[in-house]
Amino acid sequence: MSDALANGPAPAISVRELCFSWPKGEQVLKSCSLEVPKGEFWMLLGTNGSGKSTLLRLLAGLLQPNSGEIRVEGQMGFVFQNPDHQLVMPTVGADVAFGLVEEKLSFGQVKTRVREALAAVNLEMLERRPIYALSGGQKQRVAIAGAIARHCEVLLLDEPTALLDPDSQLDLVAQVRSLVKSRAITALWVTHRLDELNYCDGAFLLEQGELADKGDPERLKGRLLAL
């Protein structure tokens, strides 16, 4: 375990010397190492092309590293930047239930899981609402509810507020923080919005595929504002 986390909770996400290059040879991550403590909300910062989204996709198993080690404790849920890329069913309730098809649950168990998950993201009144009728922020909450219904312990979010209006942005990040604290979920959130740092427990800064800094979000915010 790293010195920064030696006295804190055990890591739910651990990355060791991770390297990744695209097939044509462009190196994206260079010996990247980091840890996210269990039950905490951390953010991943960096300019475009720094490797933030690539790292998240490696953690989710959507890409395979060239070398290095990835350890994630618990089932993962992934929330894309554009929720339309992952909401596949016509209604809110059906979409949240979709991820449960492989668990061989009874109809009653599925209904309970769906209702509990929607209540966790304050969408319990929209179970029958068509997906097309939702706002962007509501769609992102449905995606998060799908992960909660599957009892995911680790939540990976790739710039989930990028397509939202300012009010919806902060509403969503506050919602995720509440879930992390009330349900002992571990979250890693990719962002470039400094105001979102007010809600996290810690942050990582990537520069050109390497971990440049980590720790207190206010200190990192000050460093970035000074650039």
Side-chain angles (χ1 to χ4, degrees), residues 11-25:
I13 300 171
S14 179
V15 173
R16 292 280 184 271
E17 301 296 324
L18 198 65
C19 296
F20 178 81
S21 298
W22 294 113
K24 292 186 177 180

Side-chain angles (χ1 to χ4, degrees), residues 51-126:
K52 305 185 303 298
S53 294
T54 300
L55 176 56
L56 216 66
R57 281 164 170 73
L58 287 162
L59 291 172
L62 301 176
L63 296 171
Q64 295 300 313
N66 300 118
S67 62
E69 178 186 358
I70 296 172
R71 291 176 55 194
V72 179
E73 299 293 333
Q75 185 167 334
M76 287 183 292
F78 193 99
V79 178
F80 289 85
Q81 182 181 113
N82 187 341
D84 290 331
H85 292 166
Q86 68 186 110
L87 303 182
V88 297
M89 300 300 286
T91 66
V92 169
D95 200 273
V96 175
F98 182 75
L100 301 174
V101 294
E102 296 182 357
E103 295 196 30
K104 298 180 180 179
L105 302 173
S106 69
F107 178 77
Q109 288 173 318
V110 170
K111 291 293 289 183
T112 297
R113 290 260 201 114
V114 169
R115 287 173 178 169
E116 288 178 346
L118 289 175
V121 295
N122 297 324
L123 291 180
E124 60 267 41
M125 302 302 293
L126 301 184

Side-chain angles (χ1 to χ4, degrees), residues 197 203 212-226:
L197 288 172
D213 205 346
K214 63 185 176 182
D216 180 68
E218 283 300 317
R219 183 180 62 79
L220 289 183
K221 186 192 296 187
R223 170 177 172 167
L224 293 170
L225 288 172

Side-chain angles (χ1 to χ4, degrees), residues 116-139:
E116 288 178 346
L118 289 175
V121 295
N122 297 324
L123 291 180
E124 60 267 41
M125 302 302 293
L126 301 184
E127 184 175 348
R128 297 185 180 181
R129 182 74 58 88
I131 293 293
Y132 71 80
L134 301 179
S135 68
Q138 288 171 333
K139 288 179 180 180

